């Protein structure tokens, strides 16, 4: 069976490891910002590293790439961006990545610019690795892209099948939910989710993966079509907002300063 395991790194990153132990003792890791944490996991699990997938150029996602690739002679897939060292297989929109280890499906690449311009996501059979684009109950900051780019990228992810499991790179869920609650204080699904996710954190568990359906129902950045979300964004921005993109841009500005 294919399994996807979090390797905690730094304060709140997850490096995701993909394996199918019935078929192979090799692993694929996603966004290994920390070589030591990744290596410790591989050693403890008795695994070899077949390949690395990189979503974007930020150091907390790429810091361990060169060291791990050298040590394990691993293939490295990532955006076509010269800033990232060690990419052996540059990929972009709609590229297909063949089965990298026995028992793990092919992957398809989606371009999801916004957080950075080079940001890509990896779509498998029922799961997606979306880096810092879509978070549980939130989305990445706009460091390089425009609100329109990010809104479009999030819409593409939101259009994936409802049951798709979503593997984000950071454990930001509880703080994102405080913002979601400020945007939609009357929305029962958000209230319920605050309770559910707090319970996981209290038990020391990750809140991830999330699902596209849970994000559609509780993530304000995917709910720009909701009346309450639009009204809150207008109250914050003191503007009358014309469309979902303007609602999205106002929400993103609001979140930047939200404590
Ligand atoms: Zn980032
Ligand atoms: Fe990050």
């Amino acid at each position: 069976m294919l399994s996807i395991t979090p390797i905690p790194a730094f304060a709140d990153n997850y490096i995701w490891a993909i394996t199918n132990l019935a078929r192979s003792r090799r692993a694929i890791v996603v966004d290994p910002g920390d070589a030591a944490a990744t290596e410790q996991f591989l050693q403890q699990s008795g695994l070899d590293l077949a390949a690395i997938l990189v979503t974007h150029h930020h150091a907390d996602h790429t810091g361990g790439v060169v060291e791990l690739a050298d040590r394990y002679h691993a293939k490295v897939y990532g955006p076509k961006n010269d800033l990232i060292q060690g990419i052996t297989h540059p990929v972009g929109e709609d590229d297909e990545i063949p089965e990298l280890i026995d028992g793990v499906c092919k992957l398809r690449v989606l371009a999801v610019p916004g957080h950075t311009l080079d940001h890509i996501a990896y779509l498998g059979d029922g799961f997606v690795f979306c880096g810092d684009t879509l978070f549980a109950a939130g989305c990445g900051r706009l460091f390089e892209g425009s609100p329109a780019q990010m809104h479009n990228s999030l819409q593409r992810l939101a259009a994936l099948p409802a049951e798709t499991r979503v593997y984000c790179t950071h454990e930001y869920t509880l703080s994102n939910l405080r913002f979601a609650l400020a945007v939609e204080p009357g929305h029962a699904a958000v209230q319920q989710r605050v309770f559910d996710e707090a319970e996981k954190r209290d038990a020391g568990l990750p809140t991830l993966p999330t699902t596209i359906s849970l994000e559609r129902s509780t993530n304000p950045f995917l709910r720009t079509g909701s009346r309450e979300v639009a009204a809150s964004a207008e109250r914050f921005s003191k503007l009358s907002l014309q469309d979902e993109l303007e609602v999205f841009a106002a929400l993103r500005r609001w979140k930047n300063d939200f404590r």
Side-chain angles (χ1 to χ4, degrees), residues 136-138 173-187 190-191 193-194 218-221 223 228-229 232 254-255 258:
T173 312
L174 293 185
S175 78
N176 285 341
L177 281 168
R178 279 195 292 110
F179 179 71
L181 209 50
V183 176
E184 289 188 285
H187 186 30
V190 174
Q191 295 162 359
R193 189 171 185 189
V194 170
T218 58
N219 187 326
F221 296 99
R223 296 176 53 73
E228 192 181 5
V229 171
S232 293
W254 181 5
K255 176 70 164 60
F258 185 81

Side-chain angles (χ1 to χ4, degrees), residues 1-142:
M1 198 182 78
L2 181 144
S3 50
I4 301 176
T5 311
I7 307 168
F10 310 122
D12 51 33
N13 283 63
Y14 294 123
I15 298 162
W16 294 104
I18 313 169
T19 54
N20 187 336
L21 296 180
R23 305 274 302 274
S24 168
R25 296 305 302 182
R26 307 180 80 206
I28 303 163
V29 295
V30 184
D31 284 348
D34 184 344
T38 307
E39 220 181 315
Q40 193 187 5
F41 168 84
L42 293 170
Q43 262 168 22
Q44 280 174 356
S45 321
L47 294 168
D48 188 19
L49 182 63
I52 294 170
L53 308 176
V54 173
T55 62
H56 67 292
H57 69 84
H58 286 159
D60 62 309
H61 301 248
T62 58
V65 167
V66 169
E67 193 178 326
L68 290 165
D70 281 355
R71 179 145 323 166
Y72 292 94
H73 306 288
K75 295 176 185 170
V76 184
Y77 291 82
K80 295 167 181 157
N81 180 351
D82 294 338
L83 278 175
I84 309 173
Q85 286 186 10
I87 304 279
T88 58
H89 293 65
V91 287
E93 173 66 19
D94 215 25
D95 281 344
E96 194 175 87
I97 299 175
E99 291 179 23
L100 294 169
I101 52 180
D102 276 352
V104 170
C105 56
K106 292 177 197 164
L107 301 168
R108 194 161 62 81
V109 177
L110 295 179
V112 286
H115 175 68
T116 62
L117 291 175
D118 67 350
H119 207 305
I120 55 178
Y122 297 91
L123 181 62
D125 212 351
F127 59 88
V128 65
F129 296 99
C130 59
D132 289 356
T133 299
L134 175 62
F135 288 128
C139 74
R141 279 177 188 264
L142 302 183

